[in-house]
Every structure is written in structure tokens, then in C-alpha cells.
Amino acid sequence: AVRMQPATILVVDDDERVTRALVRLLRRDGHEVRTATSARAAEEALREGEVAVLLSDYRMPGEDGVTLLRRARQLRPDTVRIMLTGSADLKAAVAAVNEGAVFKFVLKPWDDDWLRATVAEAVQQYRAVRERARLVAEIEEANARLQELNAELEQALRRRARDLEFARRHDPLTRLPNREQFGLQLADALRAARLAEKPVALLVLDLDRFKAVNEALSHAAGDAVLRSTAARITACLRRSDLVGRVGSDEFAVALVGYADPDLPARVARRILNALSEPLQVEGRDVFLTASLGVGVFPEDASSAEDLLKRADLAMHHAKEAGGNRFEYYSEEMNARAFERMMLETALRGALDRGEYRLFFQPQVDLRTGRFVAAEALLRWEHPELGLVSPARFVPLLEETGLIVPVGEWVIAEACRWARAWEAELPQGFRIAVNLSPRQLLRDDLPDRAGEILAAAGFSAEHNPLELEITESGVMGHPERAARLLGRLRDLGFRLAVDDFGTGYSSLAYLRRFRLNALKIDRSFVHDLPGQAEDAAIVRAILALGHELGLEVVAEGIETGEQAEFLGALGCDKAQGYWFARPLPPDQALPTLRTPARPTGTG
């Protein structure tokens, strides 16, 4: 039996008996069967809706079935056309099949099974044609969409290429040219200036204390500051000038094609004034200043690279002079930079060559007048320069990171002298060692300090060292500092805050960091006892320290009046030239064994 696929069948015959017979037969297979008794009626039925199979008699009133089937092919190309014909019309039916007007023909009288099978085949043919048409349409639609996507992809790739090229040459935060791109633009500007015999002024600018602002607020606030800085700098320039972000908080400006020699100074002042205006960040006013260096082509340098170096050197000179200013490059700066480079080179081997020394400045108990402690101070004895001032080499140790191994050497050396002097000095005598902010950033600091302590024969219960930290050193990373200082306390180290009153001076951190002592900065002591404001500050620090159970030490005592005044206020300990200068170990021990200088004016 033939497995039928139901479909819409249109039967066209003017003989109602034939029509009824065909309807009954085809409906047995589930087909929807429509009928028409004329060619016109058949055409109307074709126009009204889809027809899978058109089954038409060859002989029709007024026209033959072949003509109808040909018009049906035009109206419904997908409709499969079958002709019913008698033997007398067989030749015409065959011709119609050959020309494609008819799919097949069925001879009258028909065999029911044969007719049903032929209709089923026609339905399959119809469905195959429709499916093929659907697939072709889908393929064409997909091809069209693919072409659209290809066009969109090409556009996206072109945009991406432009974006990548822009990103490669520009700072993503400020969208200014980056260092590489600015260098290329500057080189082009110098070539043009050389041909035109015109000067080019290069201004290199660095924000003062930007790191502190970044850490005190947030990185998002820091980004906002940098974007605002870029906008303010750009607003101070002419359209022909160049500007770029060439470092973390460093910007560069090139003034091209100018005739007025005072223009660089005017622009520098304009930029500094613009940046000094308060900036609203995260709901609060932020005040910034900048240091700016100026180099001029061709007087100071003939290449972009050298001009950047000269202007950068002038900028650092302005920063060292206090910031919020600008400086022109000079050859003297170059000489100082060369000296600094030579010092840095010599410093890198100083530890291995054994050139560092410890000097000790005694601390006196203002109640008993006896020396009870000493601060270990680092000195560098250069084979050619002799003793180099700490102000010249300690900042270099910090910048280069050499302070970490040198700092460990200081702790070890202090332990060595504490062990050597143990029998010569009173019980409980302590040696104070300064900790660098760099050391406080290292998680292994307590472990290394503990190893050094143990190697010298000391323990947490018998630890002669006091570690001095600065306010700025711990407040940059308070969580880490609190954790590390707690571990150092567990190892028996006493903790003191140095230069108290010059930084954050926060009650919160005095409690949080489990300190033992604080040291009044020498700037508050220098004009005592006559300076009323400093005297009030010192009284407040003493009251605060003692209320928190901390020992208070005054630095920079240079007169007997200062010593007497501080003793009368209840200050615990003091150090300074009035009592003793920093001394090498062989001179320090005899001094430490004798009574201190009287605290009166005598």
C-alpha cells in the first residue's frame, strides 16, 4: 500500500460523476479535495490559495485541459499537474508531459491504486519542490546576511585597527599621546624648527605628592586627578603646541613656532596657576601643585631624547627646591646629576666593600641625668670622599631599594655592638635603629629581624633594640604596617615613632600600632623655650604620649635651657648636641659610661 501524504488537491472535470468518484477516492488518503467544473473556476481556485496537485480532465468545455495546465503552471509554478485522458487523447497527453506542462497522465478508466499512487508521487514532488525552494530562499537569505556580516566585520576590523593604533600611541586614561608618540611628535617638531631656525621649548611637569593623594583617597580618585590635570594643561596651550602623558603623573608640553623668548616662562606660570586651583574629587576639595622643568632647543639639546632628559632634570631640580615652581635647565644641573649618578654607582658596592659605619648618639634620661640609650646612625665612609653626609646618600638608598639590605646590616651591626657593650652599660640599655618605609613594605621583615636577633644571641625576652618608624612610612599602607609591627613587638622589639608632629599625628595609629615611645621632632624644639606656639605643641605631645602610656623623647636639644625646660615639662628622654654628638663606637662607649651633661644652663 502507498503511504500517502495529505495535501490540497484540485480536481477539474465537467462530469460530476467523475468528480464525485475522485473526491471519494482521494479523501480516503486524507487529502483536502477541491473541485472545479471549468477552466475558469479552476483558475479562480488556484488564485485563492495553494494547491499541491491539480488533477484535470483533458477534455473541457470551451478549451482543452492542456491549455488549463499551461496557465496553471504560470499561476502556480510549484503545483504538480496531472492529466486525466482517454486513449483517443493519448498522443496530446504525451506531448504535454514532454513539454513540461504536465507531470504525468492517467488513462481513463483509471485503476484506483494506480491513481492514488500517482497522486502520492505528485504530492511528494510538490513537497520536494517547495522544500527545495525554501532551502534556496534560506540559503539566499543566509548569503545576504553573510555579506552583511562580512561588511560589518570589515568595518569593525577597520575600527579595531584604528583603535589599536590609537591605543598603541596614546594614554588610555587621558587620551593624550604617550611617551613614545610624544617623542615622535617632538622629533618631527625639532626637524621642522631646525629648517625654520625657530626654537622649541619643552616643559616636563610632575605632580607634587600625587602618590599621597592616590593612597589617601582611591585609585579612581587618582585617575580623576590625572584626567583633570591633562585637561587643565591642554587649556593653557595653543592649538599648535604638543602635549603628552609621559609617565605615571608626568606630562610634557612642547611649545613650537614662537618668537617671544618669555613665552615658556609665561606658559609655565599659567600651567602652575591652573593646577593650583582646588579640584573636586569624591565630594572633597583636593589641592595639588606641580614641579616643572624647561629645556630649550637648540640651546640645551639638539635631539628629542636629550631635550627630554634636560627638561626632566630641570623638573627634578624644581621638585628638590620644594615644588610648585619651574626651573630652566642649566649645565650646573647636569653636573649635579652626574655626581648623583657616580654616588649611586659607588653605593651599589659599598656594603660588600665594608664602607658603612654606625655612629651612636646617646639619649639621656632627663630624670636621672644618665645615658640610657643611643640611636644608631648610618654613615658612609667613601675611600676618596671620606664621610659622606647622610643627606646625600640615604635618599639614594631609598630610591634604589638598597636600603633593604643596608637596613638589615644596620640591625645586625646594632645587635653586634649591643652584645659587645652589654657588660659595660646599665641593664636595660637600648639601641634605637631607624626603619625605612621600604623595609616596612616587605613581609619578610620580622623573619629577617628575628634571625639577626637570634644570630647575635638575643631573644624576645632579652631584646636590646628599639625600632624607629616614621608617620608617613606606616600610614601609606596601614594594614600591612600594623601586621608587621605586631610581629616585631612579639619578637621583643620596642617601637617608637620618629619625627612626631610632622606627619599624620593621628591618635588612631598611636593606639593601633602598639607603640612604646614617640619622639618630638627637632623642629618643635629648636626655638624653645621662647617660642610660645612650639612650647604649646610640645606640652600637647607630652600630655598625649603620657596619657597613652608612651615614653616621650625630644630630639635636637642644643642648649641647656631647652634641656631644663623639657625636663620641667616631664619629658622622659632627650638627645642632641647639648649632650653628645653622634660618635663612632670607640668614642661612644666611654661617653655612655659617664654621667650626661647637666640639664641646666651651666
Side-chain angles (χ1 to χ4, degrees), residues 120-394:
E121 185 181 356
V123 169
Q124 289 177 349
Q125 172 73 8
Y126 172 77
R127 295 190 187 281
V129 169
R130 294 303 299 272
E131 180 65 15
R132 185 164 54 250
R134 184 186 67 78
L135 291 174
V136 168
E138 287 184 358
I139 291 171
E140 290 176 349
E141 183 181 355
N143 284 336
R145 180 58 184 152
L146 186 58
Q147 289 178 351
E148 291 176 7
L149 290 174
N150 282 337
E152 291 173 6
L153 181 59
E154 287 179 4
Q155 290 179 357
L157 289 173
R158 284 195 292 270
R159 285 195 302 270
R160 180 62 175 162
R162 288 195 299 269
D163 292 345
L164 287 174
E165 183 64 16
F166 185 88
R168 188 177 70 83
R169 296 174 178 271
H170 292 77
D171 165 46
L173 183 64
T174 63
R175 301 187 70 77
L176 294 178
N178 58 23
R179 189 178 189 89
E180 179 186 0
Q181 178 66 6
F182 182 83
L184 294 173
Q185 292 177 345
L186 179 60
D188 289 340
L190 295 189
R191 279 191 291 271
R194 186 177 287 110
L195 292 173
E197 297 184 350
K198 292 285 185 68
V200 174
L202 179 65
L203 286 62
V204 171
L205 174 150
D206 187 85
L207 295 177
D208 300 326
R209 301 179 299 101
F210 174 72
K211 183 179 179 182
V213 172
N214 209 24
E215 292 176 347
L217 297 177
S218 67
H219 287 295
D223 289 347
V225 168
L226 291 172
R227 281 192 293 268
S228 174
T229 299
R232 290 183 178 189
I233 292 173
T234 304
C236 295
L237 306 178
R238 304 167 302 170
R239 293 178 64 86
S240 59
D241 297 329
L242 306 175
V243 60
R245 184 185 177 197
V246 296
S248 173
D249 57 342
E250 194 170 308
F251 298 82
V253 169
L255 306 178
V256 298
Y258 66 92
D260 182 1
D262 293 331
L263 179 68
R266 286 206 310 274
V267 173
R269 291 190 192 95
R270 194 183 306 151
I271 291 173
L272 293 178
N273 289 337
L275 295 180
S276 66
E277 292 293 322
L279 175 66
Q280 270 279 324
V281 178
E282 295 183 350
R284 66 185 74 185
D285 283 337
V286 175
F287 294 89
L288 287 173
T289 58
S291 300
L292 197 151
V294 184
V296 179
F297 166 88
E299 295 96 298
D300 299 329
S302 59
S303 70
E305 182 180 359
D306 287 343
L307 192 60
L308 275 165
K309 289 179 181 177
R310 303 290 194 271
D312 191 67
L313 191 59
M315 179 271 290
H316 283 289
H317 190 266
K319 191 173 286 288
E320 289 170 3
N324 195 27
R325 57 185 293 145
F326 70 92
E327 295 275 358
Y328 275 88
Y329 168 78
S330 69
E331 281 298 328
E332 182 186 352
M333 293 179 189
N334 208 28
R336 283 200 298 270
F338 180 76
E339 179 193 7
R340 177 188 172 95
M341 183 186 71
M342 296 301 291
L343 278 179
E344 182 180 330
T345 302
L347 273 175
R348 292 191 179 278
L351 184 59
D352 293 336
R353 293 190 297 267
E355 295 172 2
Y356 291 117
R357 306 282 183 267
L358 275 194
F359 278 38
F360 296 88
Q361 185 170 34
Q363 293 180 355
V364 64
D365 185 326
L366 290 177
R367 291 183 295 271
T368 66
R370 301 193 64 83
F371 291 121
V372 293
E375 181 178 1
L377 300 168
L378 180 64
R379 297 292 184 264
W380 177 26
E381 189 172 1
H382 190 276
E384 296 175 4
L385 301 175
L387 280 177
V388 182
S389 167
R392 291 177 65 191
F393 75 88
V394 171

Side-chain angles (χ1 to χ4, degrees), residues 83 143 251 270 278 406 475 506 529 541 574:
M83 180 184 293
N143 284 336
F251 298 82
R270 194 183 306 151
V406 172
M475 292 308 292
S506 163
I541 294 174

